[in-house]
Amino acid sequence: MREYNFDGLVGPTHQYAGLSHGNLASTKHRGTLGNPRAAALQGLGKMQTLARLGVGQAVLPPQPRPLVGALRALGFAGTHAQVLVAAHQEAPELLLACSSASAMWAANAATVAPSTDTGDGRVHFTVANLSSMFHRSLEARQTEATLSAIFADESRFVVHPALPSGTHFSDEGAANHTRLLVPGVNALHLFGWGRRGFGNQANLPSRFPARQTLEASQAVARLHQLPQESILFWQQAPQGIDQGAFHTDVLAVGHNHFFLFHEQAFCEPEKLEAELQRRLSGQLVLRRVSEAELGVPEAVQSYLFNSQLVTLPAGGMAILVPEEVRANSQAEALLQQLLAEPNPLCSILDADVNASMKNGGGPACLRLRVVLSDQEVQSVRGRVFLDEALGLELTTFIGRRYRDQLALEDLRDPMFLLEVETLLDELTQILQLGSIYPFQR
């Protein structure tokens, strides 16, 4: 079994619309002029860094935006050109929301369970409904179509549609899910949740919304046929959410037998530690970071916990950190301290994903982790696994097709819509995925 990072390729409508309430970076950079080309090259550069090290790496294509169908559903009528112009004039915030490139943050695309963990021995995906944010809720249908095209072999893969939308089953995908694995011990799936959909609503954040519900996490675990001894549901700390930790992965990161988390990531962290060790026979390497070592504001600003932990082919783990960690003295000091401590970390890798960071997404936000066997890899459709040839072709493609500047006014131009559709059509040919978009049918 090998873990592959399926990264979302940044889309051609990448911008800074400040759409995500509770995401401090997103709000801070609202209105900044976008550079889709630079953003896409940064994301691809991160993928290439890991692929060259021998880490499993794959690509997920962007979603079509502006999403004219969503605007039509909201009452705008006429030709594509008339819909875009009317939305720009009457409700520019809706045009921005329906043009968001937020599907680049593939950690929110779905929750995944490998075939070794599931009851029927197949890899299970449950598409996230992302119902807490309008612009992200628009992603689910295309995410299902894309994953169904790539993981089309039903003898090996199951792609579940998103849970029913609404407040009760609000699901944010793998950003609130961590799979821990100790050799010789069953895997443990840790589901973080922020509120209950039903019943007692006590112990909630007061400043920002808690997005993930317990009921959504429980439904995903059932769909994936995970045994009870392999699942653990634990509430996110409301004080962490109120300081900008809108997802679990903003204050916690885990990989195999190593779990790094901030003391304000979860409620009752001492009890969580004890339960994790009990479930994993005391063999989990746990590292809880205190507020004194790194305050939550610094953790959120630097996104240290939204770094990627990866296993290196030669052994040991590397942590891929955004440049913002290096620029934060407290976060950098903690990083060096972690490297010196007895844990699986053996090296630090740097990633420039500043365009993503400005919208509140670090390296870990950009990828969906999928553990596959060799046979399952052979069953994956399309040319999605990144190698030198594909990396070079995508680099050339981005340089040729993506704009280096994008403003709100560009989104109302029907020629830009045609430009995006032409771009995505060519990309699906490069990735050999066939007609996965509605405009291709």
Side-chain angles (χ1 to χ4, degrees), residues 303-345:
Y303 264 35
L304 171 62
F305 294 92
N306 201 247
S307 301
Q308 277 183 254
L309 289 173
V310 297
T311 296
L312 298 172
M317 292 185 190
I319 184 167
L320 181 75
V321 302
E323 290 184 343
E324 285 74 5
V325 169
R326 303 293 202 173
N328 185 302
S329 59
Q330 201 174 7
E332 169 67 9
L334 176 60
L335 183 64
Q336 296 301 327
Q337 182 178 333
L338 291 171
L339 198 61
E341 293 175 355
N343 61 55
L345 287 181

Side-chain angles (χ1 to χ4, degrees), residues 6 23 35 70 146 148 162 235 247 251 273 275 315 340 345 356 377 399 411:
F6 279 75
N23 181 330
N35 184 335
T146 300
S148 296
Q235 186 179 2
H247 292 140
L251 288 180
E273 283 192 18
E275 183 62 17
L345 287 181
S356 177
V377 168
L411 302 175

Side-chain angles (χ1 to χ4, degrees), residues 106-114 118 123-130 140 143-144 147-148 151 157-164 169-175 177 191 212 215-226 368-370:
N108 300 115
T111 306
V112 187
T118 62
V123 184
H124 283 247
F125 302 78
T126 295
V127 174
N129 59 33
L130 299 171
T143 297
E144 182 182 353
L147 292 179
S148 296
F151 302 99
F157 309 114
V158 186
V159 178
H160 300 281
L163 300 177
F169 292 97
S170 178
D171 179 23
E172 298 286 303
H177 167 259
F191 291 87
Q212 183 82 21
E215 290 81 356
S217 297
Q218 291 170 331
V220 170
R222 285 193 294 268
L223 287 169
H224 293 187
Q225 302 178 33
L226 299 174
L368 180 68
R369 293 188 285 188
V370 184

